[in-house]
PDB file of all heavy atoms in Angstrom:
ATOM      1  N   ASP B  68     -48.130  39.320  67.224  1.00 87.00           N
ATOM      2  CA  ASP B  68     -48.618  39.070  68.580  1.00 87.00           C
ATOM      3  C   ASP B  68     -49.940  39.806  68.762  1.00 87.00           C
ATOM      4  O   ASP B  68     -49.982  40.972  69.161  1.00 87.00           O
ATOM      5  CB  ASP B  68     -47.602  39.539  69.624  1.00 87.00           C
ATOM      6  CG  ASP B  68     -47.929  39.009  71.017  1.00 87.00           C
ATOM      7  OD1 ASP B  68     -49.110  38.680  71.249  1.00 87.00           O
ATOM      8  OD2 ASP B  68     -47.020  38.914  71.857  1.00 87.00           O
ATOM      9  N   VAL B  69     -51.026  39.131  68.442  1.00 92.00           N
ATOM     10  CA  VAL B  69     -52.335  39.767  68.488  1.00 92.00           C
ATOM     11  C   VAL B  69     -52.722  40.147  69.908  1.00 92.00           C
ATOM     12  O   VAL B  69     -53.407  41.151  70.137  1.00 92.00           O
ATOM     13  CB  VAL B  69     -53.404  38.844  67.846  1.00 92.00           C
ATOM     14  CG1 VAL B  69     -53.580  37.573  68.646  1.00 92.00           C
ATOM     15  CG2 VAL B  69     -54.730  39.579  67.699  1.00 92.00           C
ATOM     16  N   GLU B  70     -52.262  39.383  70.907  1.00 94.00           N
ATOM     17  CA  GLU B  70     -52.639  39.665  72.287  1.00 94.00           C
ATOM     18  C   GLU B  70     -52.090  41.007  72.763  1.00 94.00           C
ATOM     19  O   GLU B  70     -52.752  41.735  73.517  1.00 94.00           O
ATOM     20  CB  GLU B  70     -52.182  38.535  73.201  1.00 94.00           C
ATOM     21  CG  GLU B  70     -52.959  37.243  72.967  1.00 94.00           C
ATOM     22  CD  GLU B  70     -52.539  36.135  73.897  1.00 94.00           C
ATOM     23  OE1 GLU B  70     -51.498  35.501  73.615  1.00 94.00           O
ATOM     24  OE2 GLU B  70     -53.231  35.901  74.910  1.00 94.00           O
ATOM     25  N   ASP B  71     -50.879  41.352  72.344  1.00 94.00           N
ATOM     26  CA  ASP B  71     -50.328  42.655  72.702  1.00 94.00           C
ATOM     27  C   ASP B  71     -51.187  43.779  72.146  1.00 94.00           C
ATOM     28  O   ASP B  71     -51.416  44.792  72.813  1.00 94.00           O
ATOM     29  CB  ASP B  71     -48.893  42.787  72.186  1.00 94.00           C
ATOM     30  CG  ASP B  71     -47.896  42.029  73.053  1.00 94.00           C
ATOM     31  OD1 ASP B  71     -48.284  41.597  74.158  1.00 94.00           O
ATOM     32  OD2 ASP B  71     -46.742  41.863  72.619  1.00 94.00           O
ATOM     33  N   ARG B  72     -51.666  43.610  70.928  1.00 95.00           N
ATOM     34  CA  ARG B  72     -52.498  44.648  70.307  1.00 95.00           C
ATOM     35  C   ARG B  72     -53.866  44.729  70.982  1.00 95.00           C
ATOM     36  O   ARG B  72     -54.434  45.811  71.114  1.00 95.00           O
ATOM     37  CB  ARG B  72     -52.633  44.403  68.811  1.00 95.00           C
ATOM     38  CG  ARG B  72     -51.307  44.558  68.082  1.00 95.00           C
ATOM     39  CD  ARG B  72     -51.430  44.761  66.609  1.00 95.00           C
ATOM     40  NE  ARG B  72     -50.108  45.059  66.048  1.00 95.00           N
ATOM     41  CZ  ARG B  72     -49.592  46.276  65.956  1.00 95.00           C
ATOM     42  NH1 ARG B  72     -50.300  47.321  66.355  1.00 95.00           N
ATOM     43  NH2 ARG B  72     -48.391  46.462  65.455  1.00 95.00           N
ATOM     44  N   LEU B  73     -54.403  43.597  71.401  1.00 97.00           N
ATOM     45  CA  LEU B  73     -55.683  43.615  72.096  1.00 97.00           C
ATOM     46  C   LEU B  73     -55.584  44.450  73.372  1.00 97.00           C
ATOM     47  O   LEU B  73     -56.509  45.196  73.712  1.00 97.00           O
ATOM     48  CB  LEU B  73     -56.121  42.190  72.434  1.00 97.00           C
ATOM     49  CG  LEU B  73     -56.501  41.292  71.252  1.00 97.00           C
ATOM     50  CD1 LEU B  73     -56.793  39.872  71.735  1.00 97.00           C
ATOM     51  CD2 LEU B  73     -57.696  41.843  70.490  1.00 97.00           C
ATOM     52  N   ARG B  74     -54.476  44.337  74.077  1.00 96.00           N
ATOM     53  CA  ARG B  74     -54.300  45.100  75.322  1.00 96.00           C
ATOM     54  C   ARG B  74     -54.292  46.604  75.071  1.00 96.00           C
ATOM     55  O   ARG B  74     -54.595  47.386  75.973  1.00 96.00           O
ATOM     56  CB  ARG B  74     -52.996  44.684  75.998  1.00 96.00           C
ATOM     57  CG  ARG B  74     -52.969  43.257  76.523  1.00 96.00           C
ATOM     58  CD  ARG B  74     -51.697  42.974  77.302  1.00 96.00           C
ATOM     59  NE  ARG B  74     -51.643  41.604  77.786  1.00 96.00           N
ATOM     60  CZ  ARG B  74     -51.030  40.613  77.155  1.00 96.00           C
ATOM     61  NH1 ARG B  74     -50.416  40.846  76.006  1.00 96.00           N
ATOM     62  NH2 ARG B  74     -51.021  39.399  77.660  1.00 96.00           N
ATOM     63  N   GLU B  75     -53.942  47.010  73.855  1.00 96.00           N
ATOM     64  CA  GLU B  75     -53.850  48.437  73.528  1.00 96.00           C
ATOM     65  C   GLU B  75     -55.142  48.993  72.929  1.00 96.00           C
ATOM     66  O   GLU B  75     -55.206  50.177  72.605  1.00 96.00           O
ATOM     67  CB  GLU B  75     -52.704  48.663  72.537  1.00 96.00           C
ATOM     68  CG  GLU B  75     -51.333  48.265  73.066  1.00 96.00           C
ATOM     69  CD  GLU B  75     -50.261  48.397  72.003  1.00 96.00           C
ATOM     70  OE1 GLU B  75     -50.483  49.126  71.024  1.00 96.00           O
ATOM     71  OE2 GLU B  75     -49.204  47.756  72.155  1.00 96.00           O
ATOM     72  N   MET B  76     -56.153  48.163  72.798  1.00 97.00           N
ATOM     73  CA  MET B  76     -57.413  48.594  72.178  1.00 97.00           C
ATOM     74  C   MET B  76     -58.350  49.155  73.249  1.00 97.00           C
ATOM     75  O   MET B  76     -59.125  48.419  73.866  1.00 97.00           O
ATOM     76  CB  MET B  76     -58.063  47.438  71.426  1.00 97.00           C
ATOM     77  CG  MET B  76     -57.307  47.028  70.177  1.00 97.00           C
ATOM     78  SD  MET B  76     -58.040  45.618  69.290  1.00 97.00           S
ATOM     79  CE  MET B  76     -59.663  46.277  68.841  1.00 97.00           C
ATOM     80  N   HIS B  77     -58.283  50.451  73.463  1.00 96.00           N
ATOM     81  CA  HIS B  77     -59.091  51.102  74.492  1.00 96.00           C
ATOM     82  C   HIS B  77     -60.386  51.623  73.881  1.00 96.00           C
ATOM     83  O   HIS B  77     -60.603  52.835  73.746  1.00 96.00           O
ATOM     84  CB  HIS B  77     -58.275  52.212  75.144  1.00 96.00           C
ATOM     85  CG  HIS B  77     -57.054  51.710  75.838  1.00 96.00           C
ATOM     86  ND1 HIS B  77     -57.096  51.099  77.081  1.00 96.00           N
ATOM     87  CD2 HIS B  77     -55.751  51.688  75.448  1.00 96.00           C
ATOM     88  CE1 HIS B  77     -55.881  50.750  77.442  1.00 96.00           C
ATOM     89  NE2 HIS B  77     -55.044  51.085  76.465  1.00 96.00           N
ATOM     90  N   LEU B  78     -61.250  50.681  73.511  1.00 97.00           N
ATOM     91  CA  LEU B  78     -62.539  50.985  72.916  1.00 97.00           C
ATOM     92  C   LEU B  78     -63.441  49.784  73.134  1.00 97.00           C
ATOM     93  O   LEU B  78     -62.957  48.686  73.416  1.00 97.00           O
ATOM     94  CB  LEU B  78     -62.409  51.301  71.422  1.00 97.00           C
ATOM     95  CG  LEU B  78     -62.094  50.149  70.465  1.00 97.00           C
ATOM     96  CD1 LEU B  78     -62.394  50.546  69.038  1.00 97.00           C
ATOM     97  CD2 LEU B  78     -60.645  49.706  70.586  1.00 97.00           C
ATOM     98  N   PRO B  79     -64.758  49.951  73.041  1.00 97.00           N
ATOM     99  CA  PRO B  79     -65.655  48.805  73.213  1.00 97.00           C
ATOM    100  C   PRO B  79     -65.448  47.774  72.101  1.00 97.00           C
ATOM    101  O   PRO B  79     -65.393  48.128  70.919  1.00 97.00           O
ATOM    102  CB  PRO B  79     -67.049  49.437  73.132  1.00 97.00           C
ATOM    103  CG  PRO B  79     -66.844  50.879  73.416  1.00 97.00           C
ATOM    104  CD  PRO B  79     -65.499  51.219  72.863  1.00 97.00           C
ATOM    105  N   VAL B  80     -65.347  46.505  72.496  1.00 98.00           N
ATOM    106  CA  VAL B  80     -65.115  45.425  71.539  1.00 98.00           C
ATOM    107  C   VAL B  80     -66.090  44.279  71.809  1.00 98.00           C
ATOM    108  O   VAL B  80     -66.291  43.872  72.949  1.00 98.00           O
ATOM    109  CB  VAL B  80     -63.668  44.893  71.628  1.00 98.00           C
ATOM    110  CG1 VAL B  80     -63.451  43.762  70.616  1.00 98.00           C
ATOM    111  CG2 VAL B  80     -62.656  46.009  71.395  1.00 98.00           C
ATOM    112  N   LEU B  81     -66.698  43.795  70.733  1.00 98.00           N
ATOM    113  CA  LEU B  81     -67.553  42.608  70.789  1.00 98.00           C
ATOM    114  C   LEU B  81     -66.848  41.475  70.062  1.00 98.00           C
ATOM    115  O   LEU B  81     -66.459  41.624  68.907  1.00 98.00           O
ATOM    116  CB  LEU B  81     -68.910  42.890  70.133  1.00 98.00           C
ATOM    117  CG  LEU B  81     -69.818  41.674  69.888  1.00 98.00           C
ATOM    118  CD1 LEU B  81     -70.244  41.047  71.214  1.00 98.00           C
ATOM    119  CD2 LEU B  81     -71.043  42.080  69.067  1.00 98.00           C
ATOM    120  N   LEU B  82     -66.679  40.339  70.739  1.00 98.00           N
ATOM    121  CA  LEU B  82     -66.083  39.155  70.134  1.00 98.00           C
ATOM    122  C   LEU B  82     -67.168  38.118  69.897  1.00 98.00           C
ATOM    123  O   LEU B  82     -67.917  37.771  70.825  1.00 98.00           O
ATOM    124  CB  LEU B  82     -64.988  38.562  71.018  1.00 98.00           C
ATOM    125  CG  LEU B  82     -63.798  39.469  71.316  1.00 98.00           C
ATOM    126  CD1 LEU B  82     -63.906  40.031  72.729  1.00 98.00           C
ATOM    127  CD2 LEU B  82     -62.471  38.737  71.153  1.00 98.00           C
ATOM    128  N   LEU B  83     -67.245  37.618  68.670  1.00 98.00           N
ATOM    129  CA  LEU B  83     -68.262  36.646  68.281  1.00 98.00           C
ATOM    130  C   LEU B  83     -67.599  35.419  67.661  1.00 98.00           C
ATOM    131  O   LEU B  83     -66.559  35.522  67.013  1.00 98.00           O
ATOM    132  CB  LEU B  83     -69.220  37.258  67.255  1.00 98.00           C
ATOM    133  CG  LEU B  83     -70.060  38.464  67.678  1.00 98.00           C
ATOM    134  CD1 LEU B  83     -70.753  39.059  66.464  1.00 98.00           C
ATOM    135  CD2 LEU B  83     -71.068  38.070  68.737  1.00 98.00           C
ATOM    136  N   ARG B  84     -68.229  34.274  67.833  1.00 98.00           N
ATOM    137  CA  ARG B  84     -67.798  33.058  67.152  1.00 98.00           C
ATOM    138  C   ARG B  84     -69.015  32.181  66.909  1.00 98.00           C
ATOM    139  O   ARG B  84     -70.032  32.284  67.600  1.00 98.00           O
ATOM    140  CB  ARG B  84     -66.752  32.285  67.962  1.00 98.00           C
ATOM    141  CG  ARG B  84     -67.278  31.712  69.266  1.00 98.00           C
ATOM    142  CD  ARG B  84     -66.214  30.919  70.025  1.00 98.00           C
ATOM    143  NE  ARG B  84     -65.870  29.678  69.347  1.00 98.00           N
ATOM    144  CZ  ARG B  84     -66.474  28.502  69.569  1.00 98.00           C
ATOM    145  NH1 ARG B  84     -67.467  28.410  70.443  1.00 98.00           N
ATOM    146  NH2 ARG B  84     -66.103  27.417  68.928  1.00 98.00           N
ATOM    147  N   GLY B  85     -68.903  31.317  65.898  1.00 97.00           N
ATOM    148  CA  GLY B  85     -69.907  30.296  65.708  1.00 97.00           C
ATOM    149  C   GLY B  85     -69.689  29.179  66.711  1.00 97.00           C
ATOM    150  O   GLY B  85     -68.538  28.865  67.059  1.00 97.00           O
ATOM    151  N   ARG B  86     -70.750  28.568  67.170  1.00 97.00           N
ATOM    152  CA  ARG B  86     -70.636  27.548  68.216  1.00 97.00           C
ATOM    153  C   ARG B  86     -69.727  26.390  67.790  1.00 97.00           C
ATOM    154  O   ARG B  86     -69.050  25.791  68.630  1.00 97.00           O
ATOM    155  CB  ARG B  86     -72.032  27.017  68.570  1.00 97.00           C
ATOM    156  CG  ARG B  86     -72.076  26.177  69.829  1.00 97.00           C
ATOM    157  CD  ARG B  86     -73.503  25.861  70.220  1.00 97.00           C
ATOM    158  NE  ARG B  86     -74.267  27.067  70.488  1.00 97.00           N
ATOM    159  CZ  ARG B  86     -74.237  27.731  71.645  1.00 97.00           C
ATOM    160  NH1 ARG B  86     -73.472  27.301  72.628  1.00 97.00           N
ATOM    161  NH2 ARG B  86     -74.979  28.810  71.808  1.00 97.00           N
ATOM    162  N   GLY B  87     -69.675  26.079  66.509  1.00 97.00           N
ATOM    163  CA  GLY B  87     -68.850  24.967  66.047  1.00 97.00           C
ATOM    164  C   GLY B  87     -67.568  25.401  65.367  1.00 97.00           C
ATOM    165  O   GLY B  87     -67.007  24.634  64.575  1.00 97.00           O
ATOM    166  N   ASP B  88     -67.077  26.598  65.651  1.00 97.00           N
ATOM    167  CA  ASP B  88     -65.902  27.154  64.965  1.00 97.00           C
ATOM    168  C   ASP B  88     -64.606  26.567  65.533  1.00 97.00           C
ATOM    169  O   ASP B  88     -64.227  26.879  66.665  1.00 97.00           O
ATOM    170  CB  ASP B  88     -65.894  28.673  65.128  1.00 97.00           C
ATOM    171  CG  ASP B  88     -64.779  29.352  64.347  1.00 97.00           C
ATOM    172  OD1 ASP B  88     -63.928  28.649  63.774  1.00 97.00           O
ATOM    173  OD2 ASP B  88     -64.759  30.597  64.315  1.00 97.00           O
ATOM    174  N   PRO B  89     -63.875  25.736  64.762  1.00 97.00           N
ATOM    175  CA  PRO B  89     -62.604  25.202  65.249  1.00 97.00           C
ATOM    176  C   PRO B  89     -61.437  26.177  65.061  1.00 97.00           C
ATOM    177  O   PRO B  89     -60.373  26.002  65.660  1.00 97.00           O
ATOM    178  CB  PRO B  89     -62.399  23.951  64.380  1.00 97.00           C
ATOM    179  CG  PRO B  89     -63.065  24.297  63.084  1.00 97.00           C
ATOM    180  CD  PRO B  89     -64.238  25.183  63.441  1.00 97.00           C
ATOM    181  N   VAL B  90     -61.607  27.200  64.226  1.00 96.00           N
ATOM    182  CA  VAL B  90     -60.546  28.177  63.991  1.00 96.00           C
ATOM    183  C   VAL B  90     -60.435  29.149  65.164  1.00 96.00           C
ATOM    184  O   VAL B  90     -59.332  29.555  65.561  1.00 96.00           O
ATOM    185  CB  VAL B  90     -60.790  28.947  62.677  1.00 96.00           C
ATOM    186  CG1 VAL B  90     -59.702  29.983  62.438  1.00 96.00           C
ATOM    187  CG2 VAL B  90     -60.877  27.976  61.500  1.00 96.00           C
ATOM    188  N   ALA B  91     -61.573  29.526  65.716  1.00 97.00           N
ATOM    189  CA  ALA B  91     -61.619  30.425  66.874  1.00 97.00           C
ATOM    190  C   ALA B  91     -62.396  29.731  67.989  1.00 97.00           C
ATOM    191  O   ALA B  91     -63.574  30.023  68.219  1.00 97.00           O
ATOM    192  CB  ALA B  91     -62.282  31.748  66.505  1.00 97.00           C
ATOM    193  N   PRO B  92     -61.766  28.797  68.709  1.00 97.00           N
ATOM    194  CA  PRO B  92     -62.469  28.062  69.763  1.00 97.00           C
ATOM    195  C   PRO B  92     -62.850  28.965  70.934  1.00 97.00           C
ATOM    196  O   PRO B  92     -62.312  30.062  71.104  1.00 97.00           O
ATOM    197  CB  PRO B  92     -61.451  26.995  70.183  1.00 97.00           C
ATOM    198  CG  PRO B  92     -60.128  27.533  69.762  1.00 97.00           C
ATOM    199  CD  PRO B  92     -60.374  28.358  68.550  1.00 97.00           C
ATOM    200  N   GLN B  93     -63.773  28.493  71.761  1.00 97.00           N
ATOM    201  CA  GLN B  93     -64.294  29.293  72.862  1.00 97.00           C
ATOM    202  C   GLN B  93     -63.189  29.707  73.835  1.00 97.00           C
ATOM    203  O   GLN B  93     -63.179  30.834  74.346  1.00 97.00           O
ATOM    204  CB  GLN B  93     -65.380  28.519  73.616  1.00 97.00           C
ATOM    205  CG  GLN B  93     -66.068  29.306  74.715  1.00 97.00           C
ATOM    206  CD  GLN B  93     -66.856  30.504  74.196  1.00 97.00           C
ATOM    207  OE1 GLN B  93     -67.286  30.507  73.050  1.00 97.00           O
ATOM    208  NE2 GLN B  93     -67.042  31.504  75.040  1.00 97.00           N
ATOM    209  N   GLN B  94     -62.248  28.801  74.099  1.00 97.00           N
ATOM    210  CA  GLN B  94     -61.155  29.123  75.025  1.00 97.00           C
ATOM    211  C   GLN B  94     -60.347  30.322  74.532  1.00 97.00           C
ATOM    212  O   GLN B  94     -59.955  31.193  75.325  1.00 97.00           O
ATOM    213  CB  GLN B  94     -60.236  27.913  75.197  1.00 97.00           C
ATOM    214  CG  GLN B  94     -59.118  28.139  76.206  1.00 97.00           C
ATOM    215  CD  GLN B  94     -58.254  26.892  76.393  1.00 97.00           C
ATOM    216  OE1 GLN B  94     -58.395  25.903  75.660  1.00 97.00           O
ATOM    217  NE2 GLN B  94     -57.368  26.929  77.378  1.00 97.00           N
ATOM    218  N   TRP B  95     -60.107  30.396  73.210  1.00 97.00           N
ATOM    219  CA  TRP B  95     -59.368  31.524  72.654  1.00 97.00           C
ATOM    220  C   TRP B  95     -60.214  32.793  72.705  1.00 97.00           C
ATOM    221  O   TRP B  95     -59.698  33.871  73.007  1.00 97.00           O
ATOM    222  CB  TRP B  95     -58.936  31.218  71.231  1.00 97.00           C
ATOM    223  CG  TRP B  95     -58.562  32.410  70.392  1.00 97.00           C
ATOM    224  CD1 TRP B  95     -59.049  32.736  69.170  1.00 97.00           C
ATOM    225  CD2 TRP B  95     -57.621  33.448  70.722  1.00 97.00           C
ATOM    226  NE1 TRP B  95     -58.482  33.895  68.709  1.00 97.00           N
ATOM    227  CE2 TRP B  95     -57.596  34.357  69.636  1.00 97.00           C
ATOM    228  CE3 TRP B  95     -56.805  33.696  71.822  1.00 97.00           C
ATOM    229  CZ2 TRP B  95     -56.796  35.495  69.634  1.00 97.00           C
ATOM    230  CZ3 TRP B  95     -55.998  34.835  71.814  1.00 97.00           C
ATOM    231  CH2 TRP B  95     -55.991  35.717  70.721  1.00 97.00           C
ATOM    232  N   LEU B  96     -61.517  32.683  72.452  1.00 97.00           N
ATOM    233  CA  LEU B  96     -62.374  33.859  72.510  1.00 97.00           C
ATOM    234  C   LEU B  96     -62.342  34.470  73.918  1.00 97.00           C
ATOM    235  O   LEU B  96     -62.226  35.694  74.071  1.00 97.00           O
ATOM    236  CB  LEU B  96     -63.805  33.484  72.128  1.00 97.00           C
ATOM    237  CG  LEU B  96     -64.685  34.638  71.662  1.00 97.00           C
ATOM    238  CD1 LEU B  96     -64.328  35.049  70.238  1.00 97.00           C
ATOM    239  CD2 LEU B  96     -66.164  34.263  71.736  1.00 97.00           C
ATOM    240  N   GLU B  97     -62.424  33.615  74.928  1.00 97.00           N
ATOM    241  CA  GLU B  97     -62.406  34.107  76.307  1.00 97.00           C
ATOM    242  C   GLU B  97     -61.034  34.678  76.672  1.00 97.00           C
ATOM    243  O   GLU B  97     -60.939  35.687  77.388  1.00 97.00           O
ATOM    244  CB  GLU B  97     -62.797  32.978  77.257  1.00 97.00           C
ATOM    245  CG  GLU B  97     -64.248  32.528  77.074  1.00 97.00           C
ATOM    246  CD  GLU B  97     -64.582  31.282  77.857  1.00 97.00           C
ATOM    247  OE1 GLU B  97     -63.665  30.735  78.521  1.00 97.00           O
ATOM    248  OE2 GLU B  97     -65.745  30.839  77.797  1.00 97.00           O
ATOM    249  N   ARG B  98     -59.984  34.044  76.193  1.00 97.00           N
ATOM    250  CA  ARG B  98     -58.635  34.547  76.448  1.00 97.00           C
ATOM    251  C   ARG B  98     -58.450  35.913  75.788  1.00 97.00           C
ATOM    252  O   ARG B  98     -57.890  36.834  76.397  1.00 97.00           O
ATOM    253  CB  ARG B  98     -57.605  33.549  75.917  1.00 97.00           C
ATOM    254  CG  ARG B  98     -56.160  33.995  76.044  1.00 97.00           C
ATOM    255  CD  ARG B  98     -55.229  32.864  75.654  1.00 97.00           C
ATOM    256  NE  ARG B  98     -53.846  33.295  75.540  1.00 97.00           N
ATOM    257  CZ  ARG B  98     -52.817  32.474  75.310  1.00 97.00           C
ATOM    258  NH1 ARG B  98     -53.039  31.171  75.196  1.00 97.00           N
ATOM    259  NH2 ARG B  98     -51.590  32.941  75.210  1.00 97.00           N
ATOM    260  N   ALA B  99     -58.928  36.049  74.555  1.00 97.00           N
ATOM    261  CA  ALA B  99     -58.825  37.332  73.860  1.00 97.00           C
ATOM    262  C   ALA B  99     -59.614  38.405  74.605  1.00 97.00           C
ATOM    263  O   ALA B  99     -59.148  39.544  74.767  1.00 97.00           O
ATOM    264  CB  ALA B  99     -59.332  37.196  72.428  1.00 97.00           C
ATOM    265  N   ALA B 100     -60.812  38.055  75.064  1.00 97.00           N
ATOM    266  CA  ALA B 100     -61.635  39.017  75.792  1.00 97.00           C
ATOM    267  C   ALA B 100     -60.944  39.477  77.069  1.00 97.00           C
ATOM    268  O   ALA B 100     -61.045  40.651  77.461  1.00 97.00           O
ATOM    269  CB  ALA B 100     -62.989  38.406  76.117  1.00 97.00           C
TER     270      ALA B 100
END
């Protein structure tokens, strides 16, 4: 459950994706952020 771990990451995080990335779509990047 990656989302649970994201909630516990109390440090600055930058999330990046390629504009045409189907593995990490924009909706998931925003949800992760």
Side-chain angles (χ1 to χ4, degrees):
D68 193 337
V69 65
E70 291 182 280
D71 283 348
R72 294 198 173 272
L73 292 175
R74 293 186 181 95
E75 299 175 20
M76 290 178 62
H77 298 282
L78 72 164
V80 180
L81 169 65
L82 299 103
L83 297 170
R84 66 179 291 269
R86 192 172 299 278
D88 185 353
V90 179
Q93 185 64 26
Q94 183 178 8
W95 161 233
L96 201 76
E97 294 171 358
R98 176 173 170 175

